[in-house]
Each structure stands twice: as structure tokens, then as C-alpha cells.
Amino acid sequence: MFEKPAELKKLFEEKLAGVTATADVEQLRIEFLGKKGSVAALMQELRNIPNEQKKEAGQAINETKQFVENAIAEKLEELKKLEEQKLIDACESYDESMPTDNDIGSYHPITLVRREVENIFLSMGFSIEDYSEITDDYNCFEALNIPKHHPARDMQDTYYLSTGQLLKTHTSAAQNTILRKYKSSLENGNPIRAIFPGRCFRNEKIDACHENTFFQMEGMMVDKDISISNLIYFMKTMLSEVFQRDITVRLRPGFFPFVEPGFELDIQCSICGGKGCPSCKDSGWLELCPCGMIHPNVLTAAGIDPEKYIGFAFGLGMTRLAMMRYGVKDIRVFNSGNLKALSQFTEKSFTKPEESKEA
Ligand code: DAH
């Protein structure tokens, strides 16, 4: 009996068991099935086998050859699947619920308002500045003339990080950085005109008009001869552009340690048309834009001489502006992730009091 085909089969099986990559399977195929491979060598040996055993030996060699071919094909299939799976596992996970091309979603109403206001200020020569949501005590308070233990801090409790840093409570936290950034340009005769939108955080009791996470847009202008008239002009121009109609505003004195004098600019509530509703706490007015002339201590903290330069600053409540602009009655909608409510706003839509949208 010609034993070699069975021995070769056993050897092949042992080697195949140790193979873990498709490239190694190919090596094995050449070793066993190649022109100079083990199976071909067995075929050569057939010549020396007595005639009466040739048929049986030939069959045995063919069976081994068939076995090797099938086993190699199977192994290749198995390894390819494993390798594909490895590639899939290495890829970043993907979100099956992402909208497809037919359902691409819409911009958040605050993004729409932010872009609109940015464009208006860009056309008035303001630059748009970026600023971190994480800041520190100095930038958020000290540099703004709010020393430790000042009662103004009570209204601006926020989230403190283990590093001692904090989430900014107002966009004013960027004033010092931006004043410093443009200080030398100012000294070369270029007024500072900057807006800096951003997300702010406060420990707030949430209701229809208060959120712990909201958006503001701060603006500053600093030059040699700036007056309150400049401030009022910029505010009026911006608001009439945003609402695309005449809106009623009122100015009240307001106290903020970083401006002197300080004001509250209120706009008439467009949801109730001034009659009073929960969004405006039944007053008919919404505080929209506190503002004032930058306090000399704030300029000094940024290395700018308050004897030479003067400026105004404002902190526009952008979330509130978006409520007014689109007639959203409840501030909580903005952070709700409720796509039905949030996707109804388009670049063109704006609300008159009588046709305010349900949110
Ligand atoms: N940062 C103030 C706040 O969030 C708002 C503010 C008031 C900003 C007066 C200003 C300003 O720039 O002049 O309460």
C-alpha cells in the first residue's frame, strides 16, 4: 500500500492549523500544489510504483490533492472574513440614525441668528473673535472690575472645574484678552471693533425664560472719541436689521461693575406685543442688551490708558434674541434636541406678534 499520500495529507493538515494570515495560505499552496510542490513530487514517484498498485496510488494522490485544494479555499474564505471584521472593528463607530441626503436637517435657530448678527456687525467693520468656554476667575471677574466677594458675583454662580478653572458666565470674560490682542493696533490709530459670540453657563433655576446654558454676543468698540451716541447708533442699526422692522426699545440705567455709566436696553416683547406674557414675566419688555461705557479699570487691566481711550461694550442676549426673532415662547426648546420644534426655522422666517409660532 502506497502510504505517502496519507502522510502528506497529515503533514498538510498540521501546517494548515498553524496558519493565521491569508499570505501564509498562499505559501502553503505553493509548497503543496505548486509545480515543484509536494503533490507534484508524489506524482513523479508514481512512475516507480508497480503497475498493479498504480491505479490505487494514483487515486490516493488525487484525493490528497483534492483535499488540499478544498482546504486551502476554505481557509482563505475564513481568514478573509476575519480580516474584514478586524478592519470594521478598527473603524470609528458610526451613527446609524444619522440623517441621509434626503433628510439633512436644519440649522439651529441660534446659529441662524448668530450668523445674521455677525453679518450685520461685519458690515459695520467689526471683527468676529473666538473665545474659549473655559476661562478663569481673573478673566471672568477680576479683570472686569469684579473683585473677590463683590456681590455682583452672586448672580453669576457657575460650574467650577477641578483645575480651578470655570465655565464662563458671560461673554464679557473675553474682554481682557481681546483688548490686549488689539492694544498695539489701537495705539497705531486703529479703533478696536470686535464682537465675540459664545455659549455661557450659570447656575440658574430653569423656567420659560431662564436656562443654565445660553448664548450671548459681546461687542466692544474702543477709540479716542467714543460716546454713548455711538453705542445707541450701533444698537439701533443692528436691531432694526435683525427684526427687519421698527422695534420699540427703551433704555434704563443698569449697574454692571465693568461699565460706567451702564444701561439696560430692553425691547418690547414681540410674543405678546407688549401686553405681558410668561416669556416677559408679564412686563411687556424683555431685557435684551445690557451695555455701557467701558469702565477705566477694565481698560487699565488690559494695559490701555483710560486717559487716552474710551469705549463702549454690550452683551447681547442671543438666546433671548432668537426667542424674539422666531417667536419661541419657551427657552427650554433650544437645548431640548426636539427636532420637530427646532427644524421649523428658516433663514427667512421671522415673527410678528400676532403670528408667533408654537414651540
Ligand atoms: N456680562 C453681562 C451679563 O452677562 C452683560 C453685560 C452688561 C455685558 C453690560 C456688557 C455690558 O458688555 O456693557 O450679565
Side-chain angles (χ1 to χ4, degrees):
M1 165 107 180
F2 188 46
E3 305 280 2
K4 285 198 173 167
E7 283 165 20
L8 192 67
K9 187 177 160 200
K10 205 169 156 237
L11 177 71
F12 169 76
E13 280 180 306
E14 280 168 9
K15 288 202 170 182
L16 188 71
V19 161
T20 52
T22 46
D24 296 341
V25 181
E26 176 60 7
Q27 274 311 109
L28 211 60
R29 195 189 62 75
I30 294 168
E31 189 183 330
F32 282 82
L33 299 175
K35 268 188 193 157
K36 294 179 183 161
S38 319
V39 174
L42 268 189
M43 288 291 196
Q44 298 285 331
E45 284 192 32
L46 210 53
R47 271 191 243 145
N48 313 324
I49 287 181
N51 274 348
E52 62 283 9
Q53 288 175 23
K54 265 204 175 105
K55 192 177 167 209
E56 203 190 327
Q59 263 174 4
I61 296 172
N62 271 338
E63 267 167 35
T64 297
K65 187 181 172 202
Q66 199 65 51
F67 176 84
V68 170
E69 281 174 350
N70 291 343
I72 281 182
E74 268 171 37
K75 190 74 174 182
L76 266 181
E77 196 59 28
E78 179 191 321
L79 288 177
K80 265 187 197 158
K81 276 192 187 144
L82 276 176
E83 282 172 10
E84 275 172 13
Q85 192 56 46
K86 260 194 204 160
L87 279 178
I88 292 171
D89 292 347
C91 283
E92 275 181 31
S93 59
Y94 69 99
D95 183 359
E96 286 175 29
S97 63
M98 282 290 278
T100 61
D101 285 351
N102 301 328
D103 179 18
I104 52 172
S106 60
Y107 286 109
H108 194 283
I110 292 184
T111 305
L112 295 176
V113 169
R114 176 175 55 75
R115 288 187 178 167
E116 202 170 298
V117 179
E118 280 176 2
N119 283 336
I120 295 165
F121 275 101
L122 273 178
S123 73
M124 295 193 284
F126 281 68
S127 67
I128 301 170
E129 305 293 326
D130 203 13
Y131 187 73
S132 164
E133 287 173 0
I134 298 175
T135 185
D136 53 25
D137 191 273
Y138 179 77
N139 281 286
C140 204
F141 302 118
E142 298 270 340
L144 291 167
N145 200 31
I146 313 177
K148 288 202 169 46
H149 313 299
H150 191 288
R153 289 191 179 212
D154 293 353
M155 285 150 68
Q156 302 207 8
D157 185 18
T158 182
Y159 303 90
Y160 286 82
L161 311 183
S162 52
T163 54
Q165 292 170 299
L166 49 104
L167 300 187
K168 70 171 182 238
T169 56
H170 51 177
T171 41
S172 312
Q175 281 196 11
N176 186 267
T177 308
I178 291 163
L179 288 172
R180 282 178 187 282
K181 179 175 169 188
Y182 290 109
K183 175 182 177 282
S184 51
S185 163
L186 177 70
E187 285 161 0
N188 288 332
N190 308 306
I192 299 177
R193 275 177 293 184
I195 52 167
F196 28 112
R199 192 191 333 240
C200 306
F201 307 84
R202 279 188 207 176
N203 179 6
E204 201 72 69
K205 198 159 174 265
I206 297 175
D207 59 26
C209 42
H210 293 91
E211 246 293 0
N212 56 21
T213 306
F214 54 95
F215 286 81
Q216 290 185 339
M217 182 178 291
E218 190 93 358
M220 278 189 307
M221 179 163 184
V222 182
D223 200 359
K224 286 201 164 131
D225 297 306
I226 302 281
S227 74
I228 296 172
S229 315
N230 297 111
L231 167 64
I232 294 170
Y233 168 79
F234 278 108
M235 294 287 87
K236 274 199 159 172
T237 310
M238 189 272 294
L239 290 172
S240 60
E241 288 278 335
V242 170
F243 289 94
Q244 293 164 30
R245 64 190 158 95
D246 277 346
I247 48 142
T248 316
V249 299
R250 71 175 185 190
L251 264 185
R252 294 179 285 126
F255 173 73
F256 303 95
F258 36 94
V259 280
E260 182 56 41
F263 308 101
E264 287 284 3
L265 186 143
D266 299 342
I267 66 167
Q268 198 170 63
C269 177
S270 69
I271 288 171
C272 60
K275 289 189 206 109
C277 69
S279 299
C280 58
K281 289 194 208 141
D282 292 320
S283 70
W285 294 93
L286 273 187
E287 279 179 33
L288 185 70
C289 190
C291 49
M293 304 307 288
I294 301 176
H295 195 287
N297 289 356
V298 174
L299 293 174
T300 308
I304 294 174
D305 183 355
E307 297 293 327
K308 279 197 197 151
Y309 298 99
I310 184 165
F312 67 76
F314 59 88
L316 186 63
M318 243 197 331
T319 301
R320 201 152 281 179
L321 184 62
M323 287 174 82
M324 296 277 88
R325 175 76 164 75
Y326 294 112
V328 174
K329 292 177 182 168
D330 192 325
I331 196 171
R332 290 167 285 200
V333 164
F334 292 122
N335 292 340
S336 69
N338 178 348
L339 292 182
K340 208 170 160 200
L342 291 171
S343 62
Q344 63 186 296
F345 307 101
T346 66
E347 233 116 25
K348 294 282 167 286
S349 72
F350 63 95
T351 320
K352 297 194 182 95
E354 63 276 17
E355 58 183 41
S356 60
K357 282 193 187 81
E358 285 296 329

